[in-house]
């Protein structure tokens, strides 16, 4: 067993077996292009979600995760000890809070660094929580029985091509029991369009973060270039994801076999409109 694989096993992180990712090579009907590459030449998500994540998003703390979980549970109205899958769980802000409340939780992410952080917190707090190192394009996960709810938080959906994004949506639907619900937290596309061409900077411990944002109208994708200067070192990151209108996301989820119940403007279920901070979609598997 390779060293990295052995360390993940020791930390209690299950690794999905290598397999063909359905739809990974399917051509898009329009706007096909390769994923935006990071400085290492690999798809941007390969390096973006790593040890610098807390500096890129300092507001995404355990405390904020616990507050958000209260809103999530109010919307889902789950029975006690329900099964929940968090797709793109990262360092576990939400899965740890859900496990504390007695839910049977599985967190999926493709970042070994962030999952290791989640595993460390799980062990320190004595929580029962499954963590899977896997690509969301491999959903539904092998040996995971269907769940009562699937979460996709903080725009963790939309990284890939049109065909692959649809495949992820179908995989999330396939992961649900009949009557199970999807809680999908996305950016409001109107606000992303307005951010096109903007540049910002913000202080960070030991330095600062420079951001440049763009929006591609033809591809309907939001992208950014980020320069982190901290502790005397410069690190460069990029990101790139699909942005949907309300009508488009309703259509996509319908194609995936889900029925949209509501679209909100915040996690607290305020009305959605063109000025809403977020686009939060609650959908159900018939």
């Amino acid at each position: 067993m390779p060293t990295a694989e052995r360390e993940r096993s020791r930390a209690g992180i299950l690794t999905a077996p290598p397999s063909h990712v359905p739809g990974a090579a399917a051509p898009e009907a329009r706007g096909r292009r390769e994923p935006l590459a990071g400085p290492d030449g690999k798809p941007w998500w390969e390096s973006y979600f790593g040890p610098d994540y807390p500096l890129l998003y300092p507001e995404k703390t355990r405390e904020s995760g616990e507050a958000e979980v209260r809103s999530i549970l109010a919307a889902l109205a789950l029975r006690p000890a329900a099964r929940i899958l968090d797709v793109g769980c990262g360092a576990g802000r939400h899965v740890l809070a859900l496990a504390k409340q007695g839910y049977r939780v599985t967190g999926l992410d493709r970042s070994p660094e962030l999952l290791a952080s989640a595993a460390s917190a799980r062990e320190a707090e004595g929580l029962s929580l499954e963590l899977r190192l896997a690509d969301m394009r491999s959903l539904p996960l092998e040996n995971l029985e269907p769940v009562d709810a699937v979460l996709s938080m903080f725009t963790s959906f939309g990284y890939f091509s049109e065909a692959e994004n649809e495949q992820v949506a179908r995989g999330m639907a396939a992961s649900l029991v009949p009557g199970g619900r999807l809680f999908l937290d996305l950016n409001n596309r109107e606000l992303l369009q307005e951010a096109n061409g903007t540049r910002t900077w913000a202080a960070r411990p030991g330095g600062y973060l420079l951001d440049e944002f763009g929006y591609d109208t033809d591809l309907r994708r939001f992208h950014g270039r980020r320069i982190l200067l901290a502790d005397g070192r410069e690190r460069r990151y990029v990101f790139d994801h699909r942005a949907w209108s309300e009508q488009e996301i309703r259509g996509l989820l319908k194609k995936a076999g889900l029925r949209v119940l509501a679209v909100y403007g915040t996690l607290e279920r305020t009305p959605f409109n063109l000025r809403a901070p977020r686009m939060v979609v609650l959908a159900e598997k018939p």
Side-chain angles (χ1 to χ4, degrees):
M1 180 182 293
T3 301
E5 190 72 19
R6 188 163 51 245
E7 290 301 317
R8 292 168 196 153
S9 178
R10 187 177 298 133
I13 300 171
L14 303 182
T15 305
S19 62
H20 171 66
V21 177
E28 284 187 48
R30 64 180 295 278
R32 174 68 173 174
R33 67 167 169 78
E34 293 304 311
L36 190 63
D40 57 3
K42 299 178 181 178
W44 68 268
W45 57 82
E46 295 283 352
S47 57
Y48 193 85
F49 301 101
D52 281 333
Y53 190 82
L55 292 174
L56 296 176
Y57 299 103
E59 73 280 8
K60 301 303 177 184
T61 62
R62 286 286 302 278
E63 292 74 22
S64 70
E66 291 178 356
E68 290 168 2
V69 159
R70 289 193 289 270
S71 297
I72 293 167
L73 292 176
L76 290 173
L78 297 170
R79 60 181 173 80
R83 295 185 59 86
I84 303 173
L85 171 64
D86 185 354
V87 179
C89 69
R93 292 191 309 127
H94 302 108
V95 291
L96 293 164
L98 289 165
K100 276 185 178 181
Q101 298 195 38
Y103 292 97
R104 293 177 291 167
V105 188
T106 298
L108 175 155
D109 206 278
R110 64 173 296 136
S111 168
E113 293 89 352
L114 295 183
L115 277 184
S117 179
S120 178
R122 175 189 62 186
E123 302 309 316
E125 299 173 32
L127 297 173
S128 177
L129 165 64
E130 182 183 30
L131 297 171
R132 296 276 193 109
L133 179 66
D135 191 305
M136 66 182 74
R137 290 171 291 185
S138 66
L139 289 170
L141 291 177
E142 186 177 355
N143 300 322
L144 180 69
E145 65 181 87
V147 299
D148 300 292
V150 170
L151 309 181
S152 177
M153 302 299 297
F154 192 44
T155 316
S156 295
F157 175 66
Y159 298 164
F160 312 114
S161 69
E162 295 286 282
E164 290 171 310
N165 288 331
E166 182 178 332
Q167 176 63 32
V168 173
R170 291 183 183 277
M172 291 192 292
S175 300
L176 289 166
V177 298
R181 292 184 169 184
L182 168 67
F183 191 89
L184 183 61
D185 169 35
L186 300 170
N187 286 109
N188 181 346
R189 188 167 79 179
E190 288 294 317
L191 302 186
L192 299 184
Q193 289 175 308
E194 293 179 7
N196 183 47
T198 61
R199 297 177 179 178
T200 66
W201 74 273
R204 289 293 186 268
Y208 52 92
L209 176 67
L210 299 174
D211 282 319
E212 181 177 34
F213 301 119
Y215 182 81
D216 188 315
T217 303
D218 292 334
L219 296 177
R220 291 166 291 181
R221 297 183 73 91
F222 183 63
H223 53 88
R225 299 186 183 278
R226 319 193 76 186
I227 302 175
L228 178 65
L229 297 166
D231 302 321
R233 295 193 301 121
E234 177 183 299
R235 284 92 85 190
R236 293 177 177 264
Y237 296 99
V238 299
F239 67 84
D240 168 39
H241 64 76
R242 177 69 153 88
W244 286 273
S245 67
E246 179 183 355
Q247 182 180 6
E248 288 172 344
I249 198 67
R250 283 179 176 272
L252 174 62
L253 294 181
K254 182 179 180 180
K255 287 177 66 178
L258 297 169
R259 176 166 57 100
V260 173
L261 302 177
V263 178
Y264 304 111
T266 62
L267 298 182
E268 293 75 27
R269 292 179 289 163
T270 58
F272 177 75
N273 56 57
L274 298 183
R275 308 309 305 166
R278 309 289 298 170
M279 183 167 69
V280 178
V281 186
L282 183 63
E284 185 176 71
K285 182 174 181 176

